[in-house]
Amino acid sequence: LRRQRQMCIRDRCKVVQQMSAISLLSLLFGLASANVYDVLLPKYLPQPGCTCAPWSAVSSNSSEQSRIDGYWIDGKAPTGAGSSCAMPGASAGTFECDGCTVDKTWNSFKGPWCYCTGGQGEQYCSPPSGVPEQINLQVAAPGIAVATFVTFESRAPSAGELPVGMLGKDKEHMAAVSGISHVYGALSQAESTNYTFHFIKFSQLEPRQSYFYKVRGGIDGSEWSDVFEFRAPYGHDQGITRIGSYGDMGHSHYNDMGNLKEDCAAGKIDTILHMGDHAYDMGNGGDKRGDAYMNAYQPALSGCPWVPVIGNHEGNDGDHEFRYLNMTFGETLGYAAAPFSTVDSTAETALADLLTKATLLGPGAHSGVPSHTSRWFSVDVGLIHIAALDLNQGTLGPEQTAWLEADLAAVDRAITPWVFGTSHFPLFNDAAAANPDASASWYTGEASEKYATSGHSFVPAVCDQLGQCERTVGELMGTIQSELMPILSKHKVDVWNAGHIHDYQSTWPVCYDPSSNASNICTDSAGQPIKNFNNPAGLVHVTEGNGGVPGVVGTSTMKQCGTSTSEWCRTHGTGGAYGRWTAYNQSVLVYEHVQNNGAQVTDTFTITK
């Protein structure tokens, strides 16, 4: 036993030393182009009466052409752009704010566009009929990914017109896999078309194996997508686990779409965890903002499976959370283990009716405890079990609480030694802790984030003439902490990962005291605060809340928390960024905070146990 312990200690030290060297190299040489990329959609159609001009020759005036060239990431249209409808990266999101509409066309607010010849200026393009778009892979369970995509159709597909995918280990030998479709009434009405979501379940995938796939809708004449390549979700093989994580991202120049695409291609991450607030907002521009965002994200998500989590912007969206719930239904398609009659609709009743008739897909049971919804759920990603929650109501509620207790109790630490809790909202963040008397409704709403390109704004809670006062941030944080910390502590959850506040913050381990039902920085036997991550007795909390909010700038800061902050506060950073979690084994978990612009690692820490 002593020799085994010494070997484990030596191996752990070796991993930590290797990671320290890798982190140093990342700090010195980790620069990359990153940020958002240019997106070409050559099958999109110009408006009637418009002929798209070649991007390299829009204007005969050299200064005007130079200005147009500046819309692109490299200062000129990419090779092959021709006269395609497109969403240039450098102008993406220009003049936007969080939750408001600033539609300039050339900032791609409502999607791809082009310059029309004959002096007609820039105009948006329209989606073609029957062509797959917004293609993304959702992690459903170990060995299961769900290809999700959208088509615009002249009519709704019939019950027998099922979408089809082709899947294989090489492009020349792919087998057909059928799926299900769901015509989404709200978006069909908003966009005056048959807006159809499709879900194709790729199951029995060999962990970490590379696969090729393509998809199409089920109506005759539907076109095939391009062929994409991805690495299958992890199995329970105890291999190194790599996850990219962040919250709060729109389609802006300095977002992290390019970083995540590059990291996944390089093997630095294999899965993406998006902790809520997508697109800013999905429902803007007659719901076309959501289409633009998902089309922009397709180059990354078509090859790198993701785990999307609900945020307050999805709850406040044009059709509230229903678009998110429809879009992310692939998350609930895990193990086909229960009767179809147990599947609850995650949005419209038509979806539940469709699923009860399906013979292919079953309810989500990611960790053996089905949630039947993408509002809250869990999934095993290699060595990490992720329990994702919806805190938009400012409380767990009895149904979600019961599910969380059952889910965490079912975790097998021999399979997933690291357990994460996540939601859009942080449990411990110094900005919230410093404003206990602020308005909770302002903090959880959209107005507070309107111009918060970094951090968060707060306003005082107000009282009416009868002395009835609105809920405060302190009361809100007290509620969710008192509900969650006993459960998280009981089940020895390692990390709470969140977004919402538009910056970065990490904490020292935070411990729950059942005698006082309060939580604070963990202390040693002498009552001194523990400021390290060696065998932590409590949770480490990370806020990574600026994956690229509207208006995010390309500069950043990083500092240690000072004496004026909460004692558990460790570091605080600003600027667009994301995180990389790497679980090397059951003993070593490394976090890297990576800036979007330049891809520099500006903070890192290692948890050992």
Side-chain angles (χ1 to χ4, degrees):
L1 289 173
R2 186 179 299 112
R3 283 198 302 272
Q4 289 176 348
R5 185 179 299 122
Q6 289 171 345
M7 289 172 65
C8 288
I9 292 173
R10 285 197 299 270
D11 290 344
R12 186 170 66 187
C13 290
K14 185 187 296 183
V15 172
V16 173
Q17 289 168 355
Q18 289 172 344
M19 279 313 304
S20 297
I22 291 171
S23 296
L24 179 59
L25 289 173
S26 297
L27 286 167
L28 293 175
F29 306 113
L31 300 183
S33 57
N35 302 315
V36 79
Y37 34 69
D38 300 318
V39 179
L40 303 177
L41 289 106
K43 294 185 178 181
Y44 260 62
L45 305 172
Q47 297 296 322
C50 169
T51 299
C52 293
W55 284 101
S56 59
V58 172
S59 176
S60 58
N61 183 297
S62 60
S63 60
E64 175 66 4
Q65 184 63 47
S66 178
R67 180 185 68 82
I68 294 168
D69 289 343
Y71 292 159
W72 301 92
I73 289 294
D74 292 331
K76 61 179 181 179
T79 302
S83 56
S84 294
C85 299
M87 293 188 287
S91 62
T94 305
F95 296 127
E96 280 189 67
C97 68
D98 185 337
C100 62
T101 298
V102 183
D103 183 359
K104 299 291 186 181
T105 305
W106 50 264
N107 64 358
S108 306
F109 187 82
K110 291 194 291 191
W113 56 281
C114 71
Y115 276 97
C116 301
T117 58
Q120 297 180 68
E122 60 265 39
Q123 292 186 18
Y124 283 115
C125 300
S126 299
S129 178
V131 176
E133 64 169 63
Q134 305 177 44
I135 300 169
N136 64 97
L137 291 167
Q138 295 170 24
V139 178
I144 300 176
V146 176
T148 301
F149 61 100
V150 167
T151 58
F152 296 86
E153 308 283 3
S154 59
R155 64 173 177 83
S158 66
E161 293 176 318
L162 301 177
V164 179
M166 299 293 292
L167 176 72
K169 294 181 181 178
D170 64 74
K171 296 179 182 179
E172 306 304 320
H173 300 87
M174 296 192 292
V177 183
S178 60
I180 61 171
S181 298
H182 170 53
V183 177
Y184 188 27
L187 294 190
S188 295
Q189 182 176 3
E191 302 194 28
S192 301
T193 184
N194 285 287
Y195 191 107
T196 307
F197 283 109
H198 306 277
F199 305 91
I200 300 176
K201 179 179 174 180
F202 296 148
S203 59
Q204 297 182 329
L205 301 173
E206 296 179 25
R208 306 172 190 266
Q209 170 70 47
S210 291
Y211 287 89
F212 295 90
Y213 76 99
K214 61 181 180 178
V215 296
R216 66 170 174 82
I219 294 178
D220 285 345
S222 297
E223 291 192 28
W224 284 103
S225 71
D226 291 337
V227 175
F228 302 99
E229 183 179 7
F230 73 100
R231 288 189 300 278
Y234 302 127
H236 291 144
D237 56 2
Q238 300 300 296
I240 296 174
T241 299
R242 299 179 172 92
I243 299 175
S245 69
Y246 64 93
D248 307 77
M249 184 181 71
H251 180 211
S252 301
H253 180 185
Y254 292 112
N255 76 13
D256 59 21
M257 289 181 181
N259 304 70
L260 297 167
K261 181 176 181 291
E262 291 178 5
D263 279 359
C264 203
K268 295 180 180 179
I269 62 171
D270 293 301
T271 303
I272 296 169
L273 172 64
H274 188 320
M275 299 175 292
D277 280 8
H278 306 255
Y280 290 95
D281 281 347
M282 286 280 185
N284 274 353
D287 287 281
K288 293 184 182 296
R289 186 63 181 148
D291 298 336
Y293 168 80
M294 290 304 298
N295 274 324
Y297 214 171
Q298 176 179 300
L301 297 183
S302 58
C304 199
W306 72 323
V307 180
V309 175
I310 193 169
N312 63 293
H313 278 260
E314 287 72 67
N316 297 331
D317 213 341
D319 65 343
H320 302 290
E321 73 270 18
F322 292 139
R323 175 170 180 153
Y324 164 83
L325 293 172
N326 275 268
M327 181 185 81
T328 60
F329 187 70
E331 289 183 312
T332 70
L333 303 178
Y335 305 113
F340 291 111
S341 60
T342 65
V343 179
D344 296 326
S345 170
T346 56
E348 298 178 326
T349 304
L351 180 57
D353 180 65
L354 176 67
L355 289 172
T356 58
K357 297 175 181 176
T359 59
L360 173 70
L361 299 170
H366 309 279
S367 60
V369 180
S371 69
H372 308 304
T373 177
S374 52
R375 283 183 56 203
W376 62 80
F377 61 92
S378 69
V379 64
D380 290 347
V381 181
L383 297 171
I384 301 173
H385 177 84
I386 300 173
L389 303 178
D390 177 7
L391 296 180
N392 279 331
Q393 305 305 314
T395 180
L396 277 179
E399 183 181 1
Q400 192 173 191
T401 299
W403 172 83
L404 179 62
E405 281 274 19
D407 179 76
L408 295 178
V411 171
D412 185 346
R413 291 284 184 150
I415 295 174
T416 52
W418 299 97
V419 178
F420 285 22
T422 185
S423 79
H424 180 61
F425 292 98
L427 291 183
F428 286 86
N429 184 282
D430 195 62
N435 292 274
D437 297 325
S439 165
S441 62
W442 177 267
Y443 168 72
T444 59
E446 296 189 15
S448 61
E449 303 174 45
K450 195 166 187 177
Y451 300 105
T453 59
S454 183
H456 206 284
S457 66
F458 297 86
V459 298
V462 298
C463 302
D464 62 22
Q465 294 179 341
L466 300 176
Q468 298 295 315
C469 301
E470 66 172 316
R471 193 182 195 188
T472 66
V473 169
E475 291 168 340
L476 168 67
M477 300 302 288
T479 295
I480 59 176
Q481 288 171 7
S482 64
E483 290 179 346
L484 273 166
M485 286 300 289
I487 300 173
L488 302 177
S489 177
K490 171 185 174 182
H491 295 286
K492 301 186 185 303
V493 173
D494 300 290
V495 169
W496 183 267
N497 208 178
H500 188 62
I501 294 178
H502 295 171
D503 57 16
Y504 164 69
Q505 189 171 109
S506 66
T507 74
W508 298 112
V510 176
C511 284
Y512 169 70
D513 180 1
S515 65
S516 63
N517 194 30
S519 302
N520 209 332
I521 188 170
C522 298
T523 56
D524 60 21
S525 57
Q528 296 301 306
I530 299 175
K531 295 189 175 183
N532 63 64
F533 299 107
N534 299 323
N535 294 310
L539 276 78
V540 177
H541 296 257
V542 175
T543 301
E544 195 69 82
N546 197 344
V549 299
V552 64
V553 296
T555 57
S556 61
T557 65
M558 179 61 62
K559 66 179 181 179
Q560 301 296 310
C561 294
T563 56
S564 61
T565 60
S566 303
E567 193 170 19
W568 37 257
C569 184
R570 175 183 168 270
T571 53
H572 176 258
T574 65
Y578 64 105
R580 290 196 296 242
W581 291 101
T582 306
Y584 283 88
N585 50 40
Q586 73 276 13
S587 300
V588 178
L589 177 67
V590 174
Y591 188 74
E592 294 177 304
H593 171 74
V594 189
Q595 299 301 144
N596 294 345
N597 190 27
Q600 185 177 14
V601 177
T602 55
D603 188 33
T604 184
F605 60 86
T606 300
I607 303 173
T608 60
K609 64 179 183 178

